[in-house]
């Protein structure tokens, strides 16, 4: 039935799930095996290995495989493979692992998903890896930051046995495996299929663009957005998928299907786009197209390479890839003719909305015009994308000890409480360390845990439309970026850099800690014997040598009002 479909990459769709008998054996034998709790990103990648989306891989790469993929984009048998697929573990866990011995892989709830027969363990050359994948080792580069903060230092490789697919309680009906999708399209007699990926909601122009592209490729369509790991540009996961489900009604059931792809976006350029295409091929697609996501911080730049570069890379590797790349064309609405046309071919009387404009309309509570989108899609977006005046937000103060973070945050608190409307929580550095983080010290590792905990609590508050005020030192750029990434998809994140010079903080020395740090009594003291990365992405910068706490609070309130989080009339009330 499926003979007319494109062959999976490497020839066959891998199935490494064990049968019932082996399942029982594993359950009883595995009691004493070391057990690794997968990170969310690792769980996504494991799912792609278990369900055959990463065919022909049957496990995580060993060092020899990794080296060859990095060097030549090939597996040992010569099959093209553009990006490493590895399992990263901590040094501590590595002490329990031995080559030749199995370990179990579990999800965050402790459910066993797979067994890894460890063949190999090594410490990769991180700088070489960063250079090869992201073209830079610059720690402030967003892709580098995301990779280093989500990857442990040691890699282990070996063959996998699948015990159970990762559990998804959300949208299970949209999560067909490659085999499932192949069976469906096989039954329908399709042979050519265009896989379309986007991180944005799909509106009328996109429906036209995808229909036209599928027609041009003489293919059916699978709308297959990558989900699972939220990036800064994403709207809320559930809203996004509900909106896709609504828009699906506007495609013909005979010609299109909707399926989710549990795959992280690593921002690794051409290598990653080619990998995404191979995964699509394993799902049965012959063509691949995606709508580029515009970077939230670098206006005009996309999270992936330019389309012409991708096209050239696909041309170069076409024989190896076996799936065609279809460049994405932006469609606009031609008012005279009441039709949607590619922007490059449009006449003068056109209407178009960028994703940013759509979001700012939603945030300001303005309408999305019917020529742009569908009533049901707009209704979905409005539900979980309330205007900023109703969204939650986090004001995150960072700065040296004694810089005045707590003073300003404490002065801001009653002002916001007085406005009413949202609950306000203050997560002050000192207070957090007495409660939430009472067991932690000031090593780099402990500071990171502390800030990520604060970030997690603030993200929950923000998600539930409250206000979180955080005031830790938060000395490291990468941890602050991780917190921003966590919170921005859920509401506002306002980083306030309290830029009081160290000499001033030291002169104040209200707690006598600087004197102790200078005397070497306190080790690793921020600004003296431990680093503080000056923020480059702060929304607000305050120097408390020049501003009084009231003036600093006013500056923050003005920013919040300008951005629409609070009413302007409330500032001086
Ligand atoms: S961090 O780096 O963000 O986790 O620090 P934070 O939780 O904000 O805690 C900072 C407060 O702890 C006191 N303290 C130290 N600060 C920096 N370095 C060292 N080694 C240290 N030891 C104790 C210090 O009083 C900080 O309080 P604030 O309110 O910032 O002055």
């Amino acid at each position: 039935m499926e003979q007319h479909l494109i062959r999976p990459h490497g020839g066959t769709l891998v199935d490494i799930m064990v049968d019932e008998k082996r399942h029982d054996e594993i359950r009883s034998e595995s009691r004493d095996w070391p057990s690794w709790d997968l990170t969310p990103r690792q769980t996504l990648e494991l799912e792609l290995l278990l369900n055959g989306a990463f065919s022909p891989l049957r496990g995580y790469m060993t060092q020899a495989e990794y080296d060859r993929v990095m060097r030549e984009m090939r597996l040992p048998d010569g099959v093209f493979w553009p990006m490493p697929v590895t399992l990263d573990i901590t040094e501590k866990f590595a002490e329990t692992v031995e080559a030749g011995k199995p370990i179990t892989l579990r999800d965050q709830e402790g459910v066993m998903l797979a067994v890894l027969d460890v063949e190999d363990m090594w410490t990769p050359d991180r700088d070489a890896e960063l250079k090869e994948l992201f073209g830079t080792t610059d720690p402030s580069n967003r892709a580098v930051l995301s990779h280093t903060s989500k990857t442990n230092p040691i890699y282990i490789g070996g063959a996998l046995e699948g015990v159970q697919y990762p559990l998804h309680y959300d949208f299970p009906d949209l999560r067909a495996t490659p085999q499932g999708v192949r069976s469906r399209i096989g039954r329908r007699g399709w042979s050519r299929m265009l896989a379309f990926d986007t991180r944005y909601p799909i509106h009328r122009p996109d429906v036209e663009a995808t229909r036209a592209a599928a027609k041009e490729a003489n293919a059916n369509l699978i709308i297959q957005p990558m989900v699972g790991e939220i990036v800064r540009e994403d709207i809320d996961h559930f809203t996004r998928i509900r909106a896709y489900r609504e828009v699906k009604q506007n495609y013909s059931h005979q010609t299109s299907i909707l399926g989710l792809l549990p795959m992280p976006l690593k921002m690794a350029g051409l290598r990653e786009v080619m990998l995404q295409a191979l995964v699509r091929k394993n799902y049965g697609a012959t063509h691949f197209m995606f709508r580029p996501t515009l970077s939230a911080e670098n206006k005009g730049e996309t999270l992936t390479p330019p389309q012409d570069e991708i096209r050239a890379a696909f041309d170069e590797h076409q024989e190896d890839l076996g799936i065609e790349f279809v460049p994405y064309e932006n469609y606009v609405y031609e008012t005279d003719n009441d039709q949607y046309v590619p922007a490059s071919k449009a006449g003068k009387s056109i209407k178009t909305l960028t994703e940013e404009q759509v979001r700012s309309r939603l945030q300001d509570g303005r309408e999305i015009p019917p020529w742009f989108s569908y009533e049901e899609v707009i209704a979905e977006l409005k539900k979980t994308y309330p205007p900023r005046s109703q969204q939650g937000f986090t004001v995150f103060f960072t700065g040296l000890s004694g810089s005045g973070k707590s003073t300003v945050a404490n002065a801001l608190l009653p002002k916001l409480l007085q406005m009413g409307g949202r609950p306000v929580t203050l997560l002050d550095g000192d207070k957090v360390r007495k409660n939430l983080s009472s067991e932690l010290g000031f090593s780099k590792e402990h500071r990171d845990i502390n800030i990520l905990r604060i970030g997690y609590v603030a993200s929950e508050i923000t998600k539930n439309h409250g206000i979180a005020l955080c005031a830790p030192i938060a000395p490291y750029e990468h941890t602050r970026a991780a917190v921003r990434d966590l919170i921005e998809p859920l509401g506002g994140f306002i980083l306030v850099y309290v830029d009081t010079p160290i000499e001033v903080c030291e002169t104040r020395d209200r707690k006598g800690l600087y004197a102790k740090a200078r005397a070497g009594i306190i080790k690793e003291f921020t600004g003296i014997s431990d680093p503080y990365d000056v923020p480059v992405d702060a929304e607000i910068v305050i120097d408390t040598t020049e501003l009084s706490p009231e003036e600093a609070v006013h500056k923050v309130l003005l920013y919040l009002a300008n951005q629409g989080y609070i009413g302007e009339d409330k500032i001086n009330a």
Side-chain angles (χ1 to χ4, degrees), residues 167 240 256 267 289 369 445 497 516 529 546:
L167 285 168
R240 187 175 160 221
S256 61
M267 293 171 274
M289 173 168 100
E445 196 191 355
Y497 172 34
K516 283 191 184 151
S529 41
E546 284 165 13

Side-chain angles (χ1 to χ4, degrees), residues 251-284:
Y251 288 97
S252 145
H253 287 283
Q254 270 74 48
T255 57
S256 61
I257 48 181
L258 169 64
L260 307 177
L261 182 66
M263 190 169 179
L265 177 71
K266 296 185 175 174
M267 293 171 274
L270 294 170
R271 280 178 181 258
E272 187 175 27
V273 177
M274 289 194 279
L275 179 62
Q276 289 167 0
L278 291 182
V279 165
R280 266 53 189 232
K281 177 166 104 174
N282 284 332
Y283 276 87

Side-chain angles (χ1 to χ4, degrees), residues 234-393:
D234 287 346
I235 60 164
D236 164 74
H237 165 84
F238 294 98
T239 314
R240 187 175 160 221
I241 300 170
R242 279 202 306 267
Y244 293 142
R245 198 179 241 164
E246 288 301 337
V247 85
K248 171 70 180 65
Q249 317 301 332
N250 295 288
Y251 288 97
S252 145
H253 287 283
Q254 270 74 48
T255 57
S256 61
I257 48 181
L258 169 64
L260 307 177
L261 182 66
M263 190 169 179
L265 177 71
K266 296 185 175 174
M267 293 171 274
L270 294 170
R271 280 178 181 258
E272 187 175 27
V273 177
M274 289 194 279
L275 179 62
Q276 289 167 0
L278 291 182
V279 165
R280 266 53 189 232
K281 177 166 104 174
N282 284 332
Y283 276 87
T286 51
H287 295 73
F288 174 48
M289 173 168 100
F290 67 90
R291 178 170 175 194
T293 309
L294 282 171
S295 151
E297 66 272 88
N298 293 325
K299 301 269 176 272
E301 264 181 40
T302 53
L303 299 185
T304 38
Q307 299 266 307
D308 51 346
E309 274 181 34
I310 299 176
R311 192 176 208 163
F314 273 66
D315 284 347
E316 188 186 338
H317 299 287
Q318 190 54 58
E319 215 167 293
D320 282 320
L321 286 164
I323 174 168
E324 273 180 51
F325 174 69
V326 177
Y328 173 84
E329 264 238 71
N330 201 20
Y331 269 54
V332 295
Y333 179 58
E334 237 175 23
T335 46
D336 288 355
N337 307 318
D338 188 23
Q339 66 177 8
Y340 300 85
V341 288
S344 57
K345 297 198 182 115
K348 281 208 178 102
S349 60
I350 59 152
K351 283 189 184 176
T352 181
L353 280 180
T354 62
E355 195 53 35
E356 212 173 40
Q357 288 167 325
V358 174
R359 288 193 193 185
S360 79
R361 276 176 187 249
L362 288 166
Q363 276 158 358
D364 301 345
R366 284 183 293 144
E367 285 309 310
I368 309 291
W371 60 263
F372 185 73
S373 196
Y374 308 92
E375 217 177 292
E376 305 78 17
V377 175
I378 299 170
E380 278 305 333
L381 296 180
K382 276 188 180 165
K383 256 191 247 165
T384 17
Y385 222 93
R388 274 195 177 154
S389 59
Q390 289 162 32
Q391 279 180 32
F393 62 86

Side-chain angles (χ1 to χ4, degrees), residues 32-43:
D32 308 323
W33 297 351
S35 185
W36 172 251
D37 293 339
L38 296 157
T39 62
R41 174 176 276 192
Q42 290 173 343
T43 311

Side-chain angles (χ1 to χ4, degrees), residues 315-548:
D315 284 347
E316 188 186 338
H317 299 287
Q318 190 54 58
E319 215 167 293
D320 282 320
L321 286 164
I323 174 168
E324 273 180 51
F325 174 69
V326 177
Y328 173 84
E329 264 238 71
N330 201 20
Y331 269 54
V332 295
Y333 179 58
E334 237 175 23
T335 46
D336 288 355
N337 307 318
D338 188 23
Q339 66 177 8
Y340 300 85
V341 288
S344 57
K345 297 198 182 115
K348 281 208 178 102
S349 60
I350 59 152
K351 283 189 184 176
T352 181
L353 280 180
T354 62
E355 195 53 35
E356 212 173 40
Q357 288 167 325
V358 174
R359 288 193 193 185
S360 79
R361 276 176 187 249
L362 288 166
Q363 276 158 358
D364 301 345
R366 284 183 293 144
E367 285 309 310
I368 309 291
W371 60 263
F372 185 73
S373 196
Y374 308 92
E375 217 177 292
E376 305 78 17
V377 175
I378 299 170
E380 278 305 333
L381 296 180
K382 276 188 180 165
K383 256 191 247 165
T384 17
Y385 222 93
R388 274 195 177 154
S389 59
Q390 289 162 32
Q391 279 180 32
F393 62 86
T394 293
V395 183
F396 195 101
F397 293 91
T398 171
L400 297 171
S401 170
S403 58
K405 305 177 298 289
S406 308
T407 313
V408 180
N410 273 299
L412 178 61
L413 177 73
K415 282 276 184 196
L416 292 169
L417 282 170
Q418 182 186 319
M419 285 177 197
R422 298 179 181 100
V424 193
T425 307
L426 175 60
L427 297 160
D428 188 31
D430 272 345
K431 284 204 190 107
V432 168
R433 281 192 171 271
K434 285 199 183 77
N435 299 289
L436 193 62
S437 293
S438 55
E439 85 286 19
L440 299 181
F442 287 89
S443 65
K444 180 173 183 309
E445 196 191 355
H446 277 195
R447 287 181 200 256
D448 277 350
I449 298 173
N450 179 41
I451 299 307
L452 291 176
R453 278 185 195 166
I454 295 175
Y456 174 72
V457 177
S459 75
E460 287 295 312
I461 294 169
T462 306
K463 183 171 82 188
N464 293 311
H465 303 177
I467 301 174
L469 306 180
C470 311
I473 297 179
Y476 308 126
E477 167 72 26
H478 71 103
T479 341
R480 293 191 302 254
V483 172
R484 184 188 281 279
D485 276 349
L486 203 62
I487 296 176
E488 257 177 3
L490 308 168
F493 181 81
I494 298 105
L495 186 69
V496 183
Y497 172 34
V498 185
D499 178 17
T500 309
I502 185 146
E503 302 75 44
V504 178
C505 300
E506 195 166 355
T507 318
R508 289 180 187 160
D509 203 11
R510 282 195 312 209
K511 301 178 191 165
L513 295 175
Y514 279 96
K516 283 191 184 151
R518 288 282 180 208
I521 301 166
I522 301 180
K523 306 266 179 295
E524 298 175 319
F525 195 82
T526 307
I528 305 286
S529 41
D530 212 54
Y532 178 83
D533 304 339
V534 171
V536 286
D537 58 347
E539 274 74 15
I540 304 170
V541 180
I542 288 170
D543 180 345
T544 60
T545 40
E546 284 165 13
L547 291 185
S548 69

